[in-house]
Amino acid sequence: MNSQNGHILLLAGTEQARLIANFIFNDLNYKNCTISFAGATQFTRSLSLDPVFYSQNNINIGGFGGIQGLENFLKSYKTKLIIDATHPFAQQIKNHATEASKKLKIQLVRFEREAWTKQKDDQWLECHSIEEAINLVRNQPETHIFLTIGKRFISDFNTISNKSFLVRTIDPYCQFIKFKNCTFITGFPPFALIAEKELMSQYKIETLVTKNSGGQASYNKIIAARELGIKVIMISQPKVIPNNTCFLSVLEIISWLKKNFFKI
């Protein structure tokens, strides 16, 4: 398929974005598309899964330099469509994409991953920020804490000296070495349920601190906590600027693209 439909910007970093990119580049052979990753870790992970695909296509790594930079990028490429398939907690780029699309009158399609909902026997303490989560951890009697919140805010928990932490991140981060009473492990989801239960039991975990990312890839840790009777401090998904065209599945986005953008 030729590029006459116009340029597409795919905001990536998730498995859903990888599937959408595969449809655009491989299934349709449509090359007028840029895949944008917030950081090198996201790109490296995608490159390891599809080395030829991601090394031969248009890649942007590290953002755009704020909303003005994004607007300049969209203007220079004469972008006709933005697909937001970023992580539910990528609040800034989601809001910037929405604002820029409205200002420049560019169609925006967003994938929205449904949040997990509390089930029977779940012991959740729900909060809305890292700061609230830190206060909950600090004030609770439980002392063995499992952090799975990404690497950006891990060091904020270093102010808590009377707890022991197990921290899991996707890749190592040398900044964490100075963290007291802490064990670091790395891993990339999905994780098997039995492995999650064994890990939590091995480290005598009493509280899991996590973000409500939704989806299936990381959900086994929630099931494990439920079955082991472990408390969960659940950080809610951030609110983002509403967008009119949102979908809950990749198939819905592909169907929309076929009908409304590619006209096939």
Side-chain angles (χ1 to χ4, degrees), residues 61-174:
I61 301 174
F64 301 92
I67 188 168
Q68 187 59 58
L70 175 59
E71 290 178 5
N72 292 340
F73 176 92
L74 296 171
K75 290 175 184 177
S76 65
Y77 278 83
K78 299 180 180 179
T79 302
K80 298 298 183 183
L81 174 66
I82 303 171
I83 304 174
D84 176 5
T86 57
H87 191 275
F89 281 78
Q91 183 181 29
Q92 179 171 281
I93 187 59
K94 287 182 180 295
N95 286 339
H96 285 178
T98 304
E99 292 173 0
S101 69
K102 290 179 179 178
K103 181 177 179 179
L104 302 178
K105 295 181 172 54
I106 298 172
Q107 174 70 55
L108 170 67
V109 172
R110 180 188 293 163
F111 168 74
E112 291 193 342
R113 193 187 299 168
E114 287 189 283
W116 300 316
T117 56
K118 186 177 182 180
Q119 304 296 311
K120 184 178 180 294
D121 296 327
D122 280 334
Q123 300 180 45
W124 288 12
L125 293 176
E126 298 183 73
C127 60
H128 301 286
S129 68
I130 291 292
E131 292 74 21
E132 287 184 45
I134 291 172
N135 286 332
L136 287 171
V137 170
R138 180 181 287 113
N139 296 324
Q140 68 170 15
E142 292 82 5
T143 59
H144 293 80
I145 317 299
F146 185 17
L147 298 182
T148 62
I149 59 172
K151 65 183 182 181
R152 182 178 177 187
F153 297 105
I154 293 296
S155 60
D156 294 348
F157 285 82
N158 199 22
T159 59
I160 304 174
S161 59
N162 62 339
K163 315 285 184 183
S164 63
F165 293 90
L166 173 66
V167 178
R168 183 168 66 196
T169 55
I170 292 176
D171 58 335
Y173 198 56
C174 61

Side-chain angles (χ1 to χ4, degrees), residues 14-104:
T14 62
E15 174 63 15
Q16 290 76 27
R18 194 171 73 89
L19 294 173
I20 295 168
N22 182 70
F23 167 73
I24 293 172
F25 282 99
N26 290 344
D27 293 353
L28 295 185
N29 195 32
Y30 192 82
K31 303 302 182 183
N32 193 9
C33 176
T34 300
I35 310 171
S36 179
F37 296 90
T41 298
Q42 292 181 347
F43 172 66
T44 301
R45 175 62 182 172
S46 296
L47 187 64
S48 69
L49 294 171
D50 300 293
V52 176
F53 174 75
Y54 282 101
S55 62
Q56 293 183 346
N57 290 304
N58 302 322
I59 303 296
N60 177 74
I61 301 174
F64 301 92
I67 188 168
Q68 187 59 58
L70 175 59
E71 290 178 5
N72 292 340
F73 176 92
L74 296 171
K75 290 175 184 177
S76 65
Y77 278 83
K78 299 180 180 179
T79 302
K80 298 298 183 183
L81 174 66
I82 303 171
I83 304 174
D84 176 5
T86 57
H87 191 275
F89 281 78
Q91 183 181 29
Q92 179 171 281
I93 187 59
K94 287 182 180 295
N95 286 339
H96 285 178
T98 304
E99 292 173 0
S101 69
K102 290 179 179 178
K103 181 177 179 179
L104 302 178

